[in-house]
Short mmCIF file of all heavy atoms in Angstrom, two decimals:
data_model
loop_
_atom_site.label_atom_id
_atom_site.label_comp_id
_atom_site.label_asym_id
_atom_site.label_seq_id
_atom_site.Cartn_x
_atom_site.Cartn_y
_atom_site.Cartn_z
N TYR A 13 18.45 28.75 3.47
CA TYR A 13 17.94 29.89 4.24
C TYR A 13 19.11 30.63 4.85
O TYR A 13 20.04 30.00 5.37
CB TYR A 13 17.03 29.41 5.38
CG TYR A 13 15.68 28.90 4.93
CD1 TYR A 13 15.40 27.53 4.98
CD2 TYR A 13 14.69 29.76 4.51
CE1 TYR A 13 14.15 27.04 4.61
CE2 TYR A 13 13.44 29.29 4.13
CZ TYR A 13 13.18 27.93 4.18
OH TYR A 13 11.95 27.46 3.81
N ALA A 15 19.85 32.25 7.80
CA ALA A 15 19.38 32.48 9.17
C ALA A 15 20.42 33.32 9.92
O ALA A 15 21.53 33.50 9.44
CB ALA A 15 19.16 31.15 9.88
N VAL A 20 21.29 27.85 6.32
CA VAL A 20 20.71 26.53 6.61
C VAL A 20 20.32 25.90 5.28
O VAL A 20 19.57 26.49 4.51
CB VAL A 20 19.42 26.66 7.47
CG1 VAL A 20 18.81 25.29 7.73
CG2 VAL A 20 19.71 27.39 8.77
N ALA A 22 18.11 23.69 3.58
CA ALA A 22 16.84 23.02 3.88
C ALA A 22 16.50 21.94 2.85
O ALA A 22 15.83 20.96 3.17
CB ALA A 22 15.72 24.05 3.95
N ALA A 41 11.09 12.97 8.86
CA ALA A 41 11.25 13.51 10.20
C ALA A 41 11.14 15.03 10.18
O ALA A 41 11.37 15.67 9.16
CB ALA A 41 12.59 13.09 10.78
N SER A 42 10.80 15.59 11.34
CA SER A 42 10.71 17.03 11.48
C SER A 42 12.04 17.68 11.08
O SER A 42 13.10 17.20 11.46
CB SER A 42 10.35 17.36 12.92
OG SER A 42 10.02 18.72 13.02
N GLY A 43 11.98 18.73 10.29
CA GLY A 43 13.18 19.44 9.91
C GLY A 43 13.83 18.96 8.63
O GLY A 43 14.84 19.52 8.20
N CYS A 44 13.27 17.93 7.99
CA CYS A 44 13.94 17.39 6.80
C CYS A 44 13.61 18.18 5.53
O CYS A 44 14.16 17.91 4.47
CB CYS A 44 13.63 15.91 6.61
SG CYS A 44 12.01 15.58 5.93
N GLY A 45 12.71 19.14 5.62
CA GLY A 45 12.48 20.02 4.48
C GLY A 45 11.14 19.86 3.79
O GLY A 45 10.92 20.42 2.71
N LYS A 46 10.22 19.12 4.40
CA LYS A 46 8.91 18.86 3.77
C LYS A 46 8.14 20.16 3.53
O LYS A 46 7.65 20.40 2.43
CB LYS A 46 8.06 17.93 4.66
CG LYS A 46 8.72 16.61 5.00
CD LYS A 46 7.81 15.72 5.82
CE LYS A 46 7.48 16.24 7.22
NZ LYS A 46 8.66 16.38 8.10
N SER A 47 8.03 20.98 4.57
CA SER A 47 7.28 22.24 4.44
C SER A 47 7.94 23.16 3.42
O SER A 47 7.25 23.83 2.64
CB SER A 47 7.22 22.98 5.77
OG SER A 47 6.46 22.26 6.69
N THR A 48 9.25 23.18 3.43
CA THR A 48 9.97 24.01 2.48
C THR A 48 9.65 23.58 1.05
O THR A 48 9.33 24.42 0.20
CB THR A 48 11.49 23.91 2.74
OG1 THR A 48 11.75 24.37 4.07
CG2 THR A 48 12.28 24.74 1.75
N ARG A 51 6.08 24.64 0.23
CA ARG A 51 5.94 26.09 0.05
C ARG A 51 6.55 26.55 -1.28
O ARG A 51 6.04 27.47 -1.91
CB ARG A 51 6.60 26.85 1.22
CG ARG A 51 5.79 26.77 2.51
CD ARG A 51 6.23 27.85 3.49
NE ARG A 51 7.64 27.76 3.80
CZ ARG A 51 8.15 27.16 4.87
NH1 ARG A 51 7.34 26.59 5.75
NH2 ARG A 51 9.44 27.11 5.07
P1 ADP B 1 9.88 19.98 7.89
O1 ADP B 1 8.68 20.55 7.26
O2 ADP B 1 10.28 18.67 7.31
O3 ADP B 1 9.77 19.93 9.38
P2 ADP B 1 11.13 22.48 7.16
O4 ADP B 1 10.98 22.59 5.68
O5 ADP B 1 10.18 23.24 8.02
O6 ADP B 1 11.13 20.93 7.54
O7 ADP B 1 12.59 22.91 7.56
C1 ADP B 1 13.78 22.39 6.93
C2 ADP B 1 15.00 23.05 7.55
O8 ADP B 1 15.01 24.41 7.18
C3 ADP B 1 15.01 23.01 9.07
O9 ADP B 1 16.33 22.91 9.47
C4 ADP B 1 14.42 24.37 9.44
O10 ADP B 1 14.85 24.76 10.69
C5 ADP B 1 14.95 25.24 8.33
N1 ADP B 1 14.04 26.36 8.01
C6 ADP B 1 12.76 26.27 7.60
N2 ADP B 1 12.24 27.50 7.38
C7 ADP B 1 13.23 28.38 7.67
C8 ADP B 1 13.31 29.81 7.63
N3 ADP B 1 12.27 30.57 7.25
N4 ADP B 1 14.48 30.38 7.98
C9 ADP B 1 15.54 29.61 8.33
N5 ADP B 1 15.52 28.27 8.39
C10 ADP B 1 14.39 27.65 8.07
#
Side-chain angles (χ1 to χ4, degrees):
Y13 287 108
V20 178
S42 190
C44 78
K46 304 182 294 298
S47 294
T48 300
R51 287 197 302 263

